[in-house]
């Protein structure tokens, strides 16, 4: 790393990120900034229409990842994916729609002015991206509000993000912002520290030629190394905390068993060509009307090479 002064992070924080594969930055957003995002998320939930909604569920479990059109065409839209437990046996909502949504995705950072401001026009995000030197020329490719509804908010099983947002070489970086207090009871994130160094990306989530989505192996099963040893660390968060998530670090969150929601806003960045190749098999594709937006205004990416 060169001696360019850091703008926002401390050197210790940068080192912690590269050692553990994640970094919590307390109080990254002010109370006002955080409340603006939470209020906007709740307005979106209030205003969306169930009339043309296919009642799509969302889960990241290997067997039943939603592969339907509503999910596959959501990259450049604001769409609403429901908690599994919000539907009865007849597929009807068993609660108010505002309390039924698991997540809102995936084009908030482009389409919604409040989320756009905090993602693409945020000097603090730009400073963190420059300090971290994780990418030469980062672009934002997707965003979500994850609601973790009271009592039913679904678990997010252990995964790493580069499996789902694959580039060659892997380059995903998550920017996850707590909009509410996150506790062990309402499904705070937990991490396997250092697993980004020992758990390679062994499979990738793809759009199947036959329709829907699935996983494609990147290395033969017999070459998949054993799961890294270690203990998951729970990261309780306060509203406004930012957690930077290395695309290869294993992380998860448990079901919300509490009477408190756990809203979070998360967006992901990847590296641009020529440093990484984005693949046409990825479920999420840029469109001519909505290409992936740059985080940094870099006329010559070489200037930022670490
Ligand atoms: O918010 C959660 O519970 C999971 C988020 C996550 O896994 C991610 O943003 O990569």
């Amino acid at each position: 790393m060169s001696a360019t002064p850091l703008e926002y992070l401390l050197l210790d924080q940068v080192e912690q990120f590269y050692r553990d594969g994640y970094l919590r930055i307390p109080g990254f957003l002010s109370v006002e900034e955080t409340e603006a995002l939470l209020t906007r998320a709740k307005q979106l939930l209030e205003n969306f229409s169930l009339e043309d909604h296919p009642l799509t569920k969302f889960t990241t479990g290997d067997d039943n990842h939603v592969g339907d059109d509503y999910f596959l065409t959501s990259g450049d839209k604001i769409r609403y994916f429901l908690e599994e437990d919000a539907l009865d046996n007849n597929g009807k909502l068993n609660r108010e729609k505002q309390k039924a949504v698991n997540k809102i995705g995936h084009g908030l950072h482009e389409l919604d002015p409040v989320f756009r401001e905090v993602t693409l026009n945020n000097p603090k995000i730009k400073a963190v991206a420059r300090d971290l030197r994780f990418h030469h020329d980062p672009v934002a490719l997707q965003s979500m509000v994850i609601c973790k509804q009271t009592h039913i908010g679904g678990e997010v099983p252990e995964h790493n993000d580069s499996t789902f947002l694959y580039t060659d070489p892997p380059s995903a970086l998550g920017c996850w912002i707590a909009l509410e207090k996150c506790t062990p009871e309402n499904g705070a994130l937990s991490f396997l520290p250092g697993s980004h160094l020992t758990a390679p990306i062994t499979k990738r989530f793809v759009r199947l030629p036959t329709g829907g989505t699935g996983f494609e192996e990147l290395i033969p099963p017999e070459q998949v190394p054993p799961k890294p040893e270690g203990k998951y660390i729970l990261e309780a968060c306060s509203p406004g905390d930012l957690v930077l998530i290395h695309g290869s670090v294993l992380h998860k969150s448990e079901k919300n068993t509490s009477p408190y929601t756990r809203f979070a806003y998360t967006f992901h960045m990847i590296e641009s060509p020529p440093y990484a190749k984005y693949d046409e098999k990825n479920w999420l594709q840029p469109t001519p009307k909505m290409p992936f937006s740059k985080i940094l205004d870099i006329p010559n990416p070489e200037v930022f090479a670490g």
Side-chain angles (χ1 to χ4, degrees):
M1 199 179 288
S2 80
T4 312
L6 296 176
E7 296 174 48
Y8 185 88
L9 297 174
L10 301 170
L11 189 55
D12 278 358
Q13 289 177 303
V14 175
E15 285 172 356
Q16 192 181 334
F17 170 80
Y18 283 102
R19 185 191 66 221
D20 294 345
Y22 70 98
L23 173 73
R24 182 169 72 86
I25 305 171
F28 179 77
L29 292 189
S30 68
V31 172
E32 294 73 28
E33 288 171 320
T34 310
E35 274 174 7
L37 295 186
L38 186 58
T39 303
R40 183 67 189 134
K42 289 187 175 173
Q43 273 170 4
L44 290 170
L45 291 180
E46 196 73 42
N47 294 340
F48 89 96
S49 165
L50 275 178
E51 236 140 74
D52 49 357
H53 190 284
L55 295 184
T56 299
K57 290 184 260 183
F58 180 78
T59 162
T60 48
D62 277 15
D63 296 332
N64 48 6
H65 207 301
V66 172
D68 67 10
D69 206 48
Y70 190 75
F71 175 78
L72 288 174
T73 56
S74 65
D76 57 353
K77 302 187 184 59
I78 297 178
R79 288 199 163 155
Y80 301 83
F81 301 90
L82 303 179
E83 297 281 7
E84 263 187 275
D85 292 349
L87 295 168
D88 66 20
N89 291 341
N90 302 316
K92 293 265 174 308
L93 275 193
N94 57 18
R95 63 201 64 221
E96 295 170 76
K97 62 175 182 165
Q98 297 91 317
K99 297 184 176 164
V101 172
N102 167 285
K103 68 169 205 167
I104 312 172
H106 289 92
L108 287 160
H109 64 294
E110 295 283 354
L111 297 169
D112 185 88
V114 181
F115 288 99
R116 188 180 176 91
E117 200 59 22
V118 87
T119 313
L120 299 176
N121 299 325
N122 186 344
K124 288 187 282 189
I125 288 290
K126 293 177 195 291
V128 165
R130 281 191 289 264
D131 284 352
L132 214 54
R133 292 173 165 251
F134 192 76
H135 300 121
H136 299 82
D137 188 6
V139 291
L141 81 163
Q142 70 155 21
S143 53
M144 301 177 265
V145 165
I146 300 174
C147 307
K148 281 264 190 206
Q149 300 287 353
T150 59
H151 302 296
I152 58 163
E155 72 162 330
V156 176
E158 175 183 79
H159 69 284
N160 50 36
D161 295 338
S162 281
T163 298
F164 292 92
L165 304 169
Y166 185 73
T167 59
D168 183 13
S171 67
L173 174 72
C175 294
W176 185 100
I177 302 173
L179 303 184
E180 295 185 295
K181 201 170 153 103
C182 306
T183 66
E185 292 76 31
N186 73 358
L189 286 177
S190 59
F191 295 86
L192 195 53
S195 53
H196 63 303
L197 301 172
T198 54
I201 306 300
T202 58
K203 58 182 180 176
R204 52 176 298 207
F205 185 63
V206 294
R207 197 183 273 253
L208 296 170
T210 47
T213 54
F215 288 91
E216 185 180 278
E217 278 160 11
L218 293 167
I219 52 177
E222 63 277 8
Q223 283 175 27
V224 173
K227 216 187 119 206
E229 305 264 313
K231 198 167 151 283
Y232 264 87
I233 305 290
L234 188 112
E235 280 295 328
C237 288
S238 296
D241 291 359
L242 166 68
V243 186
L244 296 171
I245 306 176
H246 188 295
S248 297
V249 79
L250 291 167
H251 59 289
K252 61 182 180 177
S253 67
E254 303 301 334
K255 183 171 176 159
N256 183 358
T257 55
S258 83
Y260 304 103
T261 50
R262 198 228 63 185
F263 277 57
Y265 172 58
T266 179
F267 64 93
H268 288 85
M269 301 177 194
I270 49 163
E271 179 67 283
S272 301
Y275 305 102
K277 181 180 174 298
Y278 195 74
D279 201 287
E280 61 279 355
K281 285 187 195 164
N282 288 338
W283 79 265
L284 180 67
Q285 291 295 327
T287 62
K289 260 174 78 185
M290 203 187 284
F292 298 152
S293 288
K294 280 175 181 283
I295 296 288
L296 302 175
D297 188 17
I298 304 178
N300 174 9
E302 296 295 340
V303 171
F304 288 90

